[in-house]
Amino acid sequence: MNKFLLLLFFTFYGTLLYGQTMTFCTRITKEDQCAEKPKHYYIEYGKGAYIYAVINLLEEVNCVKVYYKIYYLDKYNEEVYMTTLSQDVLPKWKSFWKQFIFTQEMNYKIYLYDENDKLLTSNAIFVEADYEY
């Protein structure tokens, strides 16, 4: 539990310090920003959870590809690497989004890196199962 709280502290501290954010939502506006930010995210039976991560940076991204490194938190709140997803971007972009499909109920931690392996931002999300039997 202490590691999870420490992780949350550094996430919020980094967000406040640098102002670069990763926000989760279920729908995107015409302006490419979050339209709906529910407090809970659910996996629909047989479909998974379709969740967007909207990235807002203070400066231009200055690269043509970014990488999302995805981890889940195990029962000891240790990060366990799952996968890395890439996204093509334009160097002048300060804001962009990516859709993720989560299929398992758990806590996830996502780190966003530029093509030079520089950490841009990160955030955690808990996805719950909402199965009807």
Side-chain angles (χ1 to χ4, degrees), residues 67-119:
Y67 298 91
Y68 298 85
K69 293 186 181 180
I70 304 173
Y71 296 79
Y72 72 88
L73 299 176
D74 67 12
K75 65 182 180 180
Y76 304 107
N77 286 319
E78 297 288 331
E79 292 181 356
V80 178
Y81 175 78
M82 292 180 65
T83 191
T84 298
L85 302 174
S86 65
Q87 179 180 8
D88 294 331
V89 294
L90 294 178
K92 293 187 181 257
W93 284 0
K94 290 184 181 181
S95 180
F96 48 93
W97 56 266
K98 176 133 179 99
Q99 183 183 49
F100 295 95
I101 302 171
F102 296 99
T103 58
Q104 296 179 5
E105 176 182 70
M106 62 180 70
N107 285 308
Y108 295 91
K109 178 73 178 184
I110 302 175
Y111 295 91
L112 177 67
Y113 293 90
D114 69 9
E115 60 195 11
N116 297 313
D117 211 29
K118 175 184 169 192
L119 178 64

Side-chain angles (χ1 to χ4, degrees), residues 117-128:
D117 211 29
K118 175 184 169 192
L119 178 64
L120 299 174
T121 189
S122 66
N123 203 351
I125 183 172
F126 177 65
V127 181
E128 299 178 65

Side-chain angles (χ1 to χ4, degrees), residues 13-21 56-58 121:
Y13 178 76
T15 300
L16 292 174
L17 183 63
Y18 298 109
Q20 306 197 132
T21 61
N56 287 297
L57 306 174
L58 292 176
T121 189

